[in-house]
């Protein structure tokens, strides 16, 4: 009997990764393309099909999993994604399904990461946890009793847009003070200017023309006090938010995913400290902060492909 494979596709604003994965999380083929090279979503579907037609895997694909910004699990559509050139409502799961003659499942990228974590990563032993993706923005995938929470319309789990600070920094969503404006790679960089404009600091960070979040973490390790202050502010804001969000689903763990999470255990420990400081008594000392173990694998493609193996897509 022929081996069965899943096609995982992770659509991003800048790049799209796709790959062929087996049930054990081995990635047998992978390619990254520029999303912006494809004027329509259909052009991308055609390209991926053409590319895979040259491989031995094409006849053994039993399903397709897609992670995408503003992805809706119920309708299999991408809806009004601000970072994509493809405008309006895109029926991407249907396009893939028709082209490959196999079922296709689509959800947002943070949900795909949560399911990937449950099947291949650091949440294999958990049925109740929340994945927090710390990238350009902050995404969340909420798992309760082993099932993904989608909500009535497929858009549940937007923790990044819970407002933390009244009249705070303007968010891309059009409102102010959302968690992701502080706790994301972009947010960490923004904090350099915000904190420095309140009170001028002498730090190598304020001299950098275009600093990245990694610079802040690097300078903190070197002992720069302003870098330390930014990381502490980020951890405090995130830890405090996660303390409140525990009231919703009582998770056993938060699994941090993305570049900031990979900066190390020290950041996770600090988030945990602030979480414990702010949490309701009944949850005290019960919630772990874990770091994703998908990072050193092909996280995006694996997360997307895991939708195929996840029995009910939930
Ligand atoms: Zn927002």
């Amino acid at each position: 009997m022929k081996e069965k494979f899943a096609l995982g596709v992770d659509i991003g604003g800048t790049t799209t990764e796709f790959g062929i994965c087996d049930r054990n999380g081995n990635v047998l083929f992978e390619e990254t393309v520029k999303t912006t090279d494809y004027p329509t979503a259909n052009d991308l579907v055609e390209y991926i099909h053409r590319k895979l037609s040259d491989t031995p895997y094409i006849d053994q694909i039993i399903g397709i999993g897609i992670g995408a910004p503003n992805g809706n699990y119920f309708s299999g559509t991408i809806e009004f994604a601000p970072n994509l050139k493809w405008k309006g409502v895109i029926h991407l799961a249907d396009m893939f399904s028709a082209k490959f003659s196999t079922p296709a499942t689509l959800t947002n990228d943070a949900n795909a990461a949560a399911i990937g974590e449950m099947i291949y990563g650091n949440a294999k032993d958990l049925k109740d946890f929340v994945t927090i993706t710390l990238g350009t923005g902050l995404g969340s995938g909420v798992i309760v009793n082993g099932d993904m929470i989608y909500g009535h319309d497929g858009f549940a789990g937007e923790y990044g847009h819970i407002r933390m600070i009244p009249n705070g920094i303007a968010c891309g969503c059009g409102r102010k003070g959302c968690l992701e404006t502080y706790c994301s790679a972009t947010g960490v960089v923004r904090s350099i200017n915000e904190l420095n404009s309140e009170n001028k600091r002498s730090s190598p960070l304020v001299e950098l023309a275009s600093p990245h979040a990694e610079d802040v973490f690097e300078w903190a390790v070197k002992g720069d006090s302003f870098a330390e202050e930014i990381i502490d502010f980020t951890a405090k804001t995130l830890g405090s938010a996660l303390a409140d969000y525990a009231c919703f689903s009582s998770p056993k763990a938060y699994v941090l995913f993305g570049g900031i999470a990979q900066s190390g255990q020290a950041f996770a420990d600090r988030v945990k400290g602030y979480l414990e400081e702010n949490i309701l008594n009944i949850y005290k000392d019960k919630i772990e902060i874990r770091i994703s173990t998908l990072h050193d694998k092909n996280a995006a493609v694996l997360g997307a492909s895991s939708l195929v193996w996840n029995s009910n897509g939930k």
Side-chain angles (χ1 to χ4, degrees):
M1 194 176 134
K2 278 185 169 180
E3 200 178 344
K4 293 169 178 171
F5 299 117
L7 166 59
V9 185
D10 183 73
I11 312 264
T14 313
T15 59
T16 289
E17 289 175 48
F18 62 96
I20 299 289
C21 312
D22 69 14
R23 180 68 180 81
N24 298 317
N26 298 308
V27 180
L28 304 149
F29 173 95
E30 191 182 24
E31 184 175 321
T32 302
V33 295
K34 282 183 83 172
T35 315
T36 44
D37 283 348
Y38 300 89
T40 68
N42 206 45
D43 294 332
L44 178 67
V45 176
E46 292 282 342
Y47 173 78
I48 294 175
H49 185 266
R50 211 164 49 239
K51 188 76 192 183
L52 292 176
S53 294
D54 295 335
T55 72
Y57 311 113
I58 187 76
D59 296 327
Q60 289 155 266
I61 298 171
I62 59 151
I64 303 168
I66 310 155
N70 286 36
N72 187 312
Y73 171 74
F74 292 133
S75 55
T77 53
I78 296 175
E79 302 190 14
F80 309 101
N83 299 326
L84 292 179
K85 272 205 301 194
W86 315 326
K87 297 301 172 203
V89 178
I90 314 284
H91 293 265
L92 196 63
D94 285 349
M95 289 180 191
F96 269 103
S97 186
K99 190 71 200 173
F100 284 80
S101 303
T102 193
T105 307
L106 178 146
T107 190
N108 84 38
D109 31 10
N111 289 349
I115 295 172
E117 209 69 61
M118 191 161 58
I119 295 186
Y120 305 118
N122 206 356
K124 281 183 192 167
D125 58 328
L126 299 178
K127 283 186 165 257
D128 291 274
F129 70 98
V130 180
T131 287
I132 302 287
T133 62
L134 300 161
T136 311
L138 184 152
S140 55
V142 185
I143 303 280
V144 173
N145 200 23
D147 283 341
M148 184 95 237
I149 297 291
Y150 287 106
H152 84 280
D153 61 351
F155 287 120
E158 288 288 348
Y159 287 5
H161 295 283
I162 292 179
R163 286 173 294 174
M164 290 298 294
I165 298 180
N167 287 317
I169 295 174
C171 181
C173 73
R175 301 176 312 148
K176 288 181 175 173
C178 295
L179 182 65
E180 78 167 25
T181 63
Y182 306 95
C183 301
S184 59
T186 325
V188 166
V189 172
R190 197 181 285 120
S191 293
I192 299 174
N193 289 331
E194 287 291 321
L195 295 173
N196 191 48
S197 66
E198 281 169 16
N199 178 7
K200 290 276 177 245
R201 312 297 209 285
S202 73
S203 159
L205 288 176
V206 299
E207 311 297 333
L208 296 174
S210 55
H212 295 98
E214 292 80 20
D215 296 318
V216 179
F217 284 90
E218 274 173 28
W219 279 103
V221 170
K222 292 177 191 165
D224 180 69
S225 62
F226 185 40
E228 265 283 314
E229 182 187 345
I230 293 169
I231 287 170
D232 193 61
F233 170 75
T234 308
K236 189 175 190 174
T237 310
L238 184 59
S240 163
L242 297 184
D244 283 345
Y245 303 168
C247 299
F248 165 62
S249 66
S250 184
K252 180 82 185 80
Y254 288 107
V255 183
L256 307 184
F257 178 99
I260 295 180
Q262 294 302 323
S263 67
Q265 194 60 42
F267 178 71
D269 289 347
R270 206 176 280 219
V271 172
K272 165 83 170 161
Y274 285 116
L275 175 130
E276 293 298 342
E277 202 175 300
N278 290 286
I279 206 157
L280 193 66
N281 271 346
I282 49 171
Y283 304 120
K284 235 180 188 3
D285 300 320
K286 290 181 181 172
I287 302 176
E288 299 170 42
I289 302 285
R290 297 187 183 183
I291 299 173
S292 167
T293 51
L294 287 181
H295 188 76
D296 46 355
K297 301 180 186 167
N298 312 58
V301 163
L302 273 180
S305 74
S306 64
L307 292 166
V308 173
W309 310 117
N310 193 224
S311 58
N312 53 0
K314 288 181 178 178

